[in-house]
Amino acid sequence: MRKRTWIAAAATVSALITISASATATAAEDDAFAQPATAAGAAPQGERDAQRTMSEWSVTHATASASGLIRSAEGKRAIAGELRNAGPGCHSLVIQPMIGVFPGPITKVATSCGSETVPVYREYAGTPLVKICRDSAAPFTDCGPAQQLPAGSNPPPHGYVYEAAWLATQNMSYCKSEGEKGISEGRWTAYVCREEYRGGVDLPLLHQVLYVKK
């Protein structure tokens, strides 16, 4: 009798242990599904930082509209989004730098014709205006209300450092000649010339800017 009681008790304990192990395994599986993604599956830190600093832009004119996000990452700013048109003809999204309190020359970013939707991406510096104008090429005279973008910087190209700047002329020939001269003299191994508005907030002027890789 005592032996049968011990066997029954052992069986009951064994069953409880099995049930407990099964419940623990099920709870572990539920926890695995409930946990957020691990670091390996998460977005890179730089991308998460950029997402936190996004804001919106939006402009319209006639049958066209454009909107998207203002991205900020690694010292750069850019507009990203779409240009849409719901009627005949062509409409263009343009960007226009501010030279002091005066708008500068217009540059086309994208054009949509008919019922076309096109992607938009443009890096910028300063606090330019963005707007939609009728037609696909300059002169853009029929334009909608402009939105002024938040200040953006113009960092050196990756791997390069600022070397010098000169007031811009008709072409980049002087900057390029200085870049080639520096290579021949062994002062740097590569160079990049680009146009930028420099000279302060009140009256920035267009410059040729030399960046070099040493």
Side-chain angles (χ1 to χ4, degrees), residues 11 23 31 34 48 52 66 69 88 102 104 113 116 122 130 143 158 167 181 189 199 208:
D31 287 344
R48 296 198 299 274
R52 283 195 293 269
L69 297 174
F102 302 102
C113 296
E116 188 178 23
R122 175 79 179 199
V130 62
C143 302
H158 181 68
L167 282 174
K181 180 180 178 182
T189 59
Q208 295 181 26

mmCIF file with all atom_site columns, all heavy atoms in Angstrom, residues 11 23 31 34 48 52 66 69 88 102 104 113 116 122 130 143 158 167 181 189 199 208:
data_model
loop_
_atom_site.group_PDB
_atom_site.id
_atom_site.type_symbol
_atom_site.label_atom_id
_atom_site.label_alt_id
_atom_site.label_comp_id
_atom_site.label_asym_id
_atom_site.label_entity_id
_atom_site.label_seq_id
_atom_site.pdbx_PDB_ins_code
_atom_site.Cartn_x
_atom_site.Cartn_y
_atom_site.Cartn_z
_atom_site.occupancy
_atom_site.B_iso_or_equiv
_atom_site.pdbx_formal_charge
_atom_site.auth_seq_id
_atom_site.auth_comp_id
_atom_site.auth_asym_id
_atom_site.auth_atom_id
_atom_site.pdbx_PDB_model_num
ATOM 1   N N   . ALA A 1 11  ? 4.258  9.997  -9.819  1.00 0.00 ? 11  ALA A N   1
ATOM 2   C CA  . ALA A 1 11  ? 3.630  10.261 -11.117 1.00 0.00 ? 11  ALA A CA  1
ATOM 3   C C   . ALA A 1 11  ? 3.032  11.659 -11.145 1.00 0.00 ? 11  ALA A C   1
ATOM 4   O O   . ALA A 1 11  ? 3.125  12.390 -12.138 1.00 0.00 ? 11  ALA A O   1
ATOM 5   C CB  . ALA A 1 11  ? 2.554  9.206  -11.400 1.00 0.00 ? 11  ALA A CB  1
ATOM 6   N N   . ALA A 1 23  ? 4.615  25.149 -19.795 1.00 0.00 ? 23  ALA A N   1
ATOM 7   C CA  . ALA A 1 23  ? 4.148  26.516 -19.604 1.00 0.00 ? 23  ALA A CA  1
ATOM 8   C C   . ALA A 1 23  ? 5.290  27.508 -19.717 1.00 0.00 ? 23  ALA A C   1
ATOM 9   O O   . ALA A 1 23  ? 5.148  28.580 -20.291 1.00 0.00 ? 23  ALA A O   1
ATOM 10  C CB  . ALA A 1 23  ? 3.477  26.645 -18.235 1.00 0.00 ? 23  ALA A CB  1
ATOM 11  N N   . ASP A 1 31  ? 7.024  35.683 -25.105 1.00 0.00 ? 31  ASP A N   1
ATOM 12  C CA  . ASP A 1 31  ? 7.909  36.819 -24.861 1.00 0.00 ? 31  ASP A CA  1
ATOM 13  C C   . ASP A 1 31  ? 8.717  37.150 -26.113 1.00 0.00 ? 31  ASP A C   1
ATOM 14  O O   . ASP A 1 31  ? 8.961  38.314 -26.429 1.00 0.00 ? 31  ASP A O   1
ATOM 15  C CB  . ASP A 1 31  ? 8.863  36.534 -23.698 1.00 0.00 ? 31  ASP A CB  1
ATOM 16  C CG  . ASP A 1 31  ? 8.127  36.574 -22.360 1.00 0.00 ? 31  ASP A CG  1
ATOM 17  O OD1 . ASP A 1 31  ? 7.000  37.108 -22.341 1.00 0.00 ? 31  ASP A OD1 1
ATOM 18  O OD2 . ASP A 1 31  ? 8.670  36.062 -21.364 1.00 0.00 ? 31  ASP A OD2 1
ATOM 19  N N   . ALA A 1 34  ? 6.644  39.066 -28.366 1.00 0.00 ? 34  ALA A N   1
ATOM 20  C CA  . ALA A 1 34  ? 6.236  40.347 -27.815 1.00 0.00 ? 34  ALA A CA  1
ATOM 21  C C   . ALA A 1 34  ? 7.371  41.344 -27.745 1.00 0.00 ? 34  ALA A C   1
ATOM 22  O O   . ALA A 1 34  ? 7.142  42.541 -27.699 1.00 0.00 ? 34  ALA A O   1
ATOM 23  C CB  . ALA A 1 34  ? 5.656  40.159 -26.408 1.00 0.00 ? 34  ALA A CB  1
ATOM 24  N N   . ARG A 1 48  ? 18.003 56.698 -37.590 1.00 0.00 ? 48  ARG A N   1
ATOM 25  C CA  . ARG A 1 48  ? 17.027 57.030 -36.564 1.00 0.00 ? 48  ARG A CA  1
ATOM 26  C C   . ARG A 1 48  ? 17.141 58.501 -36.170 1.00 0.00 ? 48  ARG A C   1
ATOM 27  O O   . ARG A 1 48  ? 16.135 59.178 -35.946 1.00 0.00 ? 48  ARG A O   1
ATOM 28  C CB  . ARG A 1 48  ? 17.218 56.138 -35.334 1.00 0.00 ? 48  ARG A CB  1
ATOM 29  C CG  . ARG A 1 48  ? 16.953 54.662 -35.615 1.00 0.00 ? 48  ARG A CG  1
ATOM 30  C CD  . ARG A 1 48  ? 16.715 53.904 -34.310 1.00 0.00 ? 48  ARG A CD  1
ATOM 31  N NE  . ARG A 1 48  ? 17.860 53.950 -33.420 1.00 0.00 ? 48  ARG A NE  1
ATOM 32  C CZ  . ARG A 1 48  ? 18.875 53.105 -33.469 1.00 0.00 ? 48  ARG A CZ  1
ATOM 33  N NH1 . ARG A 1 48  ? 18.911 52.158 -34.380 1.00 0.00 ? 48  ARG A NH1 1
ATOM 34  N NH2 . ARG A 1 48  ? 19.866 53.194 -32.600 1.00 0.00 ? 48  ARG A NH2 1
ATOM 35  N N   . ARG A 1 52  ? 14.223 61.559 -36.638 1.00 0.00 ? 52  ARG A N   1
ATOM 36  C CA  . ARG A 1 52  ? 13.753 62.400 -35.554 1.00 0.00 ? 52  ARG A CA  1
ATOM 37  C C   . ARG A 1 52  ? 13.813 63.876 -35.913 1.00 0.00 ? 52  ARG A C   1
ATOM 38  O O   . ARG A 1 52  ? 13.156 64.694 -35.284 1.00 0.00 ? 52  ARG A O   1
ATOM 39  C CB  . ARG A 1 52  ? 14.585 62.145 -34.293 1.00 0.00 ? 52  ARG A CB  1
ATOM 40  C CG  . ARG A 1 52  ? 14.206 60.853 -33.576 1.00 0.00 ? 52  ARG A CG  1
ATOM 41  C CD  . ARG A 1 52  ? 14.786 60.861 -32.177 1.00 0.00 ? 52  ARG A CD  1
ATOM 42  N NE  . ARG A 1 52  ? 16.227 60.799 -32.180 1.00 0.00 ? 52  ARG A NE  1
ATOM 43  C CZ  . ARG A 1 52  ? 16.913 59.670 -32.136 1.00 0.00 ? 52  ARG A CZ  1
ATOM 44  N NH1 . ARG A 1 52  ? 16.300 58.517 -32.105 1.00 0.00 ? 52  ARG A NH1 1
ATOM 45  N NH2 . ARG A 1 52  ? 18.234 59.684 -32.132 1.00 0.00 ? 52  ARG A NH2 1
ATOM 46  N N   . ALA A 1 66  ? 2.972  69.570 -54.532 1.00 0.00 ? 66  ALA A N   1
ATOM 47  C CA  . ALA A 1 66  ? 4.198  68.850 -54.156 1.00 0.00 ? 66  ALA A CA  1
ATOM 48  C C   . ALA A 1 66  ? 4.323  68.889 -52.650 1.00 0.00 ? 66  ALA A C   1
ATOM 49  O O   . ALA A 1 66  ? 3.987  69.887 -52.009 1.00 0.00 ? 66  ALA A O   1
ATOM 50  C CB  . ALA A 1 66  ? 5.430  69.477 -54.812 1.00 0.00 ? 66  ALA A CB  1
ATOM 51  N N   . LEU A 1 69  ? 9.119  65.513 -47.028 1.00 0.00 ? 69  LEU A N   1
ATOM 52  C CA  . LEU A 1 69  ? 9.825  65.728 -45.775 1.00 0.00 ? 69  LEU A CA  1
ATOM 53  C C   . LEU A 1 69  ? 11.104 66.499 -46.003 1.00 0.00 ? 69  LEU A C   1
ATOM 54  O O   . LEU A 1 69  ? 11.712 66.426 -47.076 1.00 0.00 ? 69  LEU A O   1
ATOM 55  C CB  . LEU A 1 69  ? 10.148 64.382 -45.117 1.00 0.00 ? 69  LEU A CB  1
ATOM 56  C CG  . LEU A 1 69  ? 8.952  63.529 -44.704 1.00 0.00 ? 69  LEU A CG  1
ATOM 57  C CD1 . LEU A 1 69  ? 9.432  62.167 -44.208 1.00 0.00 ? 69  LEU A CD1 1
ATOM 58  C CD2 . LEU A 1 69  ? 8.133  64.219 -43.632 1.00 0.00 ? 69  LEU A CD2 1
ATOM 59  N N   . PRO A 1 88  ? -3.956 69.193 -67.391 1.00 0.00 ? 88  PRO A N   1
ATOM 60  C CA  . PRO A 1 88  ? -3.124 69.253 -68.593 1.00 0.00 ? 88  PRO A CA  1
ATOM 61  C C   . PRO A 1 88  ? -1.901 70.150 -68.401 1.00 0.00 ? 88  PRO A C   1
ATOM 62  O O   . PRO A 1 88  ? -1.811 70.917 -67.445 1.00 0.00 ? 88  PRO A O   1
ATOM 63  C CB  . PRO A 1 88  ? -4.077 69.849 -69.633 1.00 0.00 ? 88  PRO A CB  1
ATOM 64  C CG  . PRO A 1 88  ? -5.023 70.680 -68.814 1.00 0.00 ? 88  PRO A CG  1
ATOM 65  C CD  . PRO A 1 88  ? -5.209 69.955 -67.525 1.00 0.00 ? 88  PRO A CD  1
ATOM 66  N N   . PHE A 1 102 ? 16.563 89.249 -50.864 1.00 0.00 ? 102 PHE A N   1
ATOM 67  C CA  . PHE A 1 102 ? 16.110 89.167 -52.250 1.00 0.00 ? 102 PHE A CA  1
ATOM 68  C C   . PHE A 1 102 ? 16.231 87.741 -52.789 1.00 0.00 ? 102 PHE A C   1
ATOM 69  O O   . PHE A 1 102 ? 17.237 87.071 -52.561 1.00 0.00 ? 102 PHE A O   1
ATOM 70  C CB  . PHE A 1 102 ? 16.936 90.110 -53.131 1.00 0.00 ? 102 PHE A CB  1
ATOM 71  C CG  . PHE A 1 102 ? 16.872 91.547 -52.693 1.00 0.00 ? 102 PHE A CG  1
ATOM 72  C CD1 . PHE A 1 102 ? 17.921 92.115 -51.989 1.00 0.00 ? 102 PHE A CD1 1
ATOM 73  C CD2 . PHE A 1 102 ? 15.759 92.325 -52.976 1.00 0.00 ? 102 PHE A CD2 1
ATOM 74  C CE1 . PHE A 1 102 ? 17.868 93.438 -51.573 1.00 0.00 ? 102 PHE A CE1 1
ATOM 75  C CE2 . PHE A 1 102 ? 15.696 93.645 -52.569 1.00 0.00 ? 102 PHE A CE2 1
ATOM 76  C CZ  . PHE A 1 102 ? 16.749 94.204 -51.864 1.00 0.00 ? 102 PHE A CZ  1
ATOM 77  N N   . GLY A 1 104 ? 17.091 84.818 -55.309 1.00 0.00 ? 104 GLY A N   1
ATOM 78  C CA  . GLY A 1 104 ? 18.116 84.656 -56.334 1.00 0.00 ? 104 GLY A CA  1
ATOM 79  C C   . GLY A 1 104 ? 17.591 83.933 -57.562 1.00 0.00 ? 104 GLY A C   1
ATOM 80  O O   . GLY A 1 104 ? 16.367 83.835 -57.772 1.00 0.00 ? 104 GLY A O   1
ATOM 81  N N   . CYS A 1 113 ? 4.162  66.401 -66.043 1.00 0.00 ? 113 CYS A N   1
ATOM 82  C CA  . CYS A 1 113 ? 3.290  66.750 -67.163 1.00 0.00 ? 113 CYS A CA  1
ATOM 83  C C   . CYS A 1 113 ? 2.081  65.821 -67.176 1.00 0.00 ? 113 CYS A C   1
ATOM 84  O O   . CYS A 1 113 ? 2.209  64.621 -66.924 1.00 0.00 ? 113 CYS A O   1
ATOM 85  C CB  . CYS A 1 113 ? 4.034  66.636 -68.482 1.00 0.00 ? 113 CYS A CB  1
ATOM 86  S SG  . CYS A 1 113 ? 5.419  67.813 -68.638 1.00 0.00 ? 113 CYS A SG  1
ATOM 87  N N   . GLU A 1 116 ? 1.024  62.985 -64.310 1.00 0.00 ? 116 GLU A N   1
ATOM 88  C CA  . GLU A 1 116 ? 2.249  62.300 -63.893 1.00 0.00 ? 116 GLU A CA  1
ATOM 89  C C   . GLU A 1 116 ? 2.603  62.638 -62.444 1.00 0.00 ? 116 GLU A C   1
ATOM 90  O O   . GLU A 1 116 ? 2.402  63.745 -61.970 1.00 0.00 ? 116 GLU A O   1
ATOM 91  C CB  . GLU A 1 116 ? 3.387  62.747 -64.823 1.00 0.00 ? 116 GLU A CB  1
ATOM 92  C CG  . GLU A 1 116 ? 4.682  62.004 -64.672 1.00 0.00 ? 116 GLU A CG  1
ATOM 93  C CD  . GLU A 1 116 ? 5.725  62.503 -65.666 1.00 0.00 ? 116 GLU A CD  1
ATOM 94  O OE1 . GLU A 1 116 ? 5.600  63.656 -66.130 1.00 0.00 ? 116 GLU A OE1 1
ATOM 95  O OE2 . GLU A 1 116 ? 6.650  61.743 -65.964 1.00 0.00 ? 116 GLU A OE2 1
ATOM 96  N N   . ARG A 1 122 ? 16.282 66.998 -53.336 1.00 0.00 ? 122 ARG A N   1
ATOM 97  C CA  . ARG A 1 122 ? 17.211 68.096 -53.591 1.00 0.00 ? 122 ARG A CA  1
ATOM 98  C C   . ARG A 1 122 ? 17.888 68.520 -52.299 1.00 0.00 ? 122 ARG A C   1
ATOM 99  O O   . ARG A 1 122 ? 17.242 68.912 -51.341 1.00 0.00 ? 122 ARG A O   1
ATOM 100 C CB  . ARG A 1 122 ? 16.448 69.287 -54.178 1.00 0.00 ? 122 ARG A CB  1
ATOM 101 C CG  . ARG A 1 122 ? 17.282 70.546 -54.383 1.00 0.00 ? 122 ARG A CG  1
ATOM 102 C CD  . ARG A 1 122 ? 18.119 70.470 -55.617 1.00 0.00 ? 122 ARG A CD  1
ATOM 103 N NE  . ARG A 1 122 ? 18.893 71.676 -55.841 1.00 0.00 ? 122 ARG A NE  1
ATOM 104 C CZ  . ARG A 1 122 ? 19.422 72.016 -57.013 1.00 0.00 ? 122 ARG A CZ  1
ATOM 105 N NH1 . ARG A 1 122 ? 19.234 71.244 -58.059 1.00 0.00 ? 122 ARG A NH1 1
ATOM 106 N NH2 . ARG A 1 122 ? 20.127 73.111 -57.143 1.00 0.00 ? 122 ARG A NH2 1
ATOM 107 N N   . VAL A 1 130 ? 10.960 77.356 -52.071 1.00 0.00 ? 130 VAL A N   1
ATOM 108 C CA  . VAL A 1 130 ? 10.552 76.279 -52.960 1.00 0.00 ? 130 VAL A CA  1
ATOM 109 C C   . VAL A 1 130 ? 9.114  76.563 -53.375 1.00 0.00 ? 130 VAL A C   1
ATOM 110 O O   . VAL A 1 130 ? 8.284  76.990 -52.560 1.00 0.00 ? 130 VAL A O   1
ATOM 111 C CB  . VAL A 1 130 ? 10.693 74.898 -52.277 1.00 0.00 ? 130 VAL A CB  1
ATOM 112 C CG1 . VAL A 1 130 ? 9.809  74.774 -51.051 1.00 0.00 ? 130 VAL A CG1 1
ATOM 113 C CG2 . VAL A 1 130 ? 10.413 73.778 -53.258 1.00 0.00 ? 130 VAL A CG2 1
ATOM 114 N N   . CYS A 1 143 ? 3.951  81.348 -61.146 1.00 0.00 ? 143 CYS A N   1
ATOM 115 C CA  . CYS A 1 143 ? 4.302  80.487 -60.014 1.00 0.00 ? 143 CYS A CA  1
ATOM 116 C C   . CYS A 1 143 ? 3.308  80.647 -58.869 1.00 0.00 ? 143 CYS A C   1
ATOM 117 O O   . CYS A 1 143 ? 2.653  81.687 -58.730 1.00 0.00 ? 143 CYS A O   1
ATOM 118 C CB  . CYS A 1 143 ? 5.708  80.814 -59.498 1.00 0.00 ? 143 CYS A CB  1
ATOM 119 S SG  . CYS A 1 143 ? 7.006  80.646 -60.737 1.00 0.00 ? 143 CYS A SG  1
ATOM 120 N N   . HIS A 1 158 ? 32.490 64.360 -48.810 1.00 0.00 ? 158 HIS A N   1
ATOM 121 C CA  . HIS A 1 158 ? 33.054 63.355 -47.900 1.00 0.00 ? 158 HIS A CA  1
ATOM 122 C C   . HIS A 1 158 ? 34.531 63.111 -48.204 1.00 0.00 ? 158 HIS A C   1
ATOM 123 O O   . HIS A 1 158 ? 34.902 62.845 -49.348 1.00 0.00 ? 158 HIS A O   1
ATOM 124 C CB  . HIS A 1 158 ? 32.276 62.049 -48.035 1.00 0.00 ? 158 HIS A CB  1
ATOM 125 C CG  . HIS A 1 158 ? 32.775 60.971 -47.126 1.00 0.00 ? 158 HIS A CG  1
ATOM 126 N ND1 . HIS A 1 158 ? 32.638 61.029 -45.749 1.00 0.00 ? 158 HIS A ND1 1
ATOM 127 C CD2 . HIS A 1 158 ? 33.457 59.819 -47.383 1.00 0.00 ? 158 HIS A CD2 1
ATOM 128 C CE1 . HIS A 1 158 ? 33.181 59.956 -45.217 1.00 0.00 ? 158 HIS A CE1 1
ATOM 129 N NE2 . HIS A 1 158 ? 33.687 59.204 -46.171 1.00 0.00 ? 158 HIS A NE2 1
ATOM 130 N N   . LEU A 1 167 ? 35.057 84.838 -55.590 1.00 0.00 ? 167 LEU A N   1
ATOM 131 C CA  . LEU A 1 167 ? 33.793 85.247 -56.195 1.00 0.00 ? 167 LEU A CA  1
ATOM 132 C C   . LEU A 1 167 ? 33.637 84.563 -57.548 1.00 0.00 ? 167 LEU A C   1
ATOM 133 O O   . LEU A 1 167 ? 34.579 84.510 -58.348 1.00 0.00 ? 167 LEU A O   1
ATOM 134 C CB  . LEU A 1 167 ? 33.753 86.761 -56.373 1.00 0.00 ? 167 LEU A CB  1
ATOM 135 C CG  . LEU A 1 167 ? 33.455 87.573 -55.106 1.00 0.00 ? 167 LEU A CG  1
ATOM 136 C CD1 . LEU A 1 167 ? 33.596 89.062 -55.396 1.00 0.00 ? 167 LEU A CD1 1
ATOM 137 C CD2 . LEU A 1 167 ? 32.053 87.263 -54.599 1.00 0.00 ? 167 LEU A CD2 1
ATOM 138 N N   . LYS A 1 181 ? 46.981 72.914 -59.816 1.00 0.00 ? 181 LYS A N   1
ATOM 139 C CA  . LYS A 1 181 ? 48.273 73.406 -59.349 1.00 0.00 ? 181 LYS A CA  1
ATOM 140 C C   . LYS A 1 181 ? 48.662 72.753 -58.022 1.00 0.00 ? 181 LYS A C   1
ATOM 141 O O   . LYS A 1 181 ? 49.814 72.343 -57.818 1.00 0.00 ? 181 LYS A O   1
ATOM 142 C CB  . LYS A 1 181 ? 48.214 74.927 -59.198 1.00 0.00 ? 181 LYS A CB  1
ATOM 143 C CG  . LYS A 1 181 ? 49.516 75.560 -58.724 1.00 0.00 ? 181 LYS A CG  1
ATOM 144 C CD  . LYS A 1 181 ? 49.348 77.073 -58.600 1.00 0.00 ? 181 LYS A CD  1
ATOM 145 C CE  . LYS A 1 181 ? 50.624 77.723 -58.076 1.00 0.00 ? 181 LYS A CE  1
ATOM 146 N NZ  . LYS A 1 181 ? 50.445 79.200 -57.916 1.00 0.00 ? 181 LYS A NZ  1
ATOM 147 N N   . THR A 1 189 ? 45.963 65.511 -52.984 1.00 0.00 ? 189 THR A N   1
ATOM 148 C CA  . THR A 1 189 ? 45.897 64.418 -53.965 1.00 0.00 ? 189 THR A CA  1
ATOM 149 C C   . THR A 1 189 ? 44.681 64.509 -54.883 1.00 0.00 ? 189 THR A C   1
ATOM 150 O O   . THR A 1 189 ? 44.665 63.883 -55.945 1.00 0.00 ? 189 THR A O   1
ATOM 151 C CB  . THR A 1 189 ? 45.846 63.062 -53.243 1.00 0.00 ? 189 THR A CB  1
ATOM 152 O OG1 . THR A 1 189 ? 44.702 63.020 -52.377 1.00 0.00 ? 189 THR A OG1 1
ATOM 153 C CG2 . THR A 1 189 ? 47.100 62.854 -52.403 1.00 0.00 ? 189 THR A CG2 1
ATOM 154 N N   . GLY A 1 199 ? 29.296 84.511 -47.563 1.00 0.00 ? 199 GLY A N   1
ATOM 155 C CA  . GLY A 1 199 ? 29.453 85.916 -47.250 1.00 0.00 ? 199 GLY A CA  1
ATOM 156 C C   . GLY A 1 199 ? 28.528 86.422 -46.170 1.00 0.00 ? 199 GLY A C   1
ATOM 157 O O   . GLY A 1 199 ? 28.388 87.622 -45.975 1.00 0.00 ? 199 GLY A O   1
ATOM 158 N N   . GLN A 1 208 ? 33.124 80.480 -56.150 1.00 0.00 ? 208 GLN A N   1
ATOM 159 C CA  . GLN A 1 208 ? 33.758 79.219 -56.509 1.00 0.00 ? 208 GLN A CA  1
ATOM 160 C C   . GLN A 1 208 ? 34.490 78.738 -55.256 1.00 0.00 ? 208 GLN A C   1
ATOM 161 O O   . GLN A 1 208 ? 35.274 79.481 -54.685 1.00 0.00 ? 208 GLN A O   1
ATOM 162 C CB  . GLN A 1 208 ? 34.775 79.413 -57.629 1.00 0.00 ? 208 GLN A CB  1
ATOM 163 C CG  . GLN A 1 208 ? 34.193 79.847 -58.952 1.00 0.00 ? 208 GLN A CG  1
ATOM 164 C CD  . GLN A 1 208 ? 35.272 79.993 -60.000 1.00 0.00 ? 208 GLN A CD  1
ATOM 165 O OE1 . GLN A 1 208 ? 36.317 79.349 -59.922 1.00 0.00 ? 208 GLN A OE1 1
ATOM 166 N NE2 . GLN A 1 208 ? 35.025 80.825 -60.992 1.00 0.00 ? 208 GLN A NE2 1
#
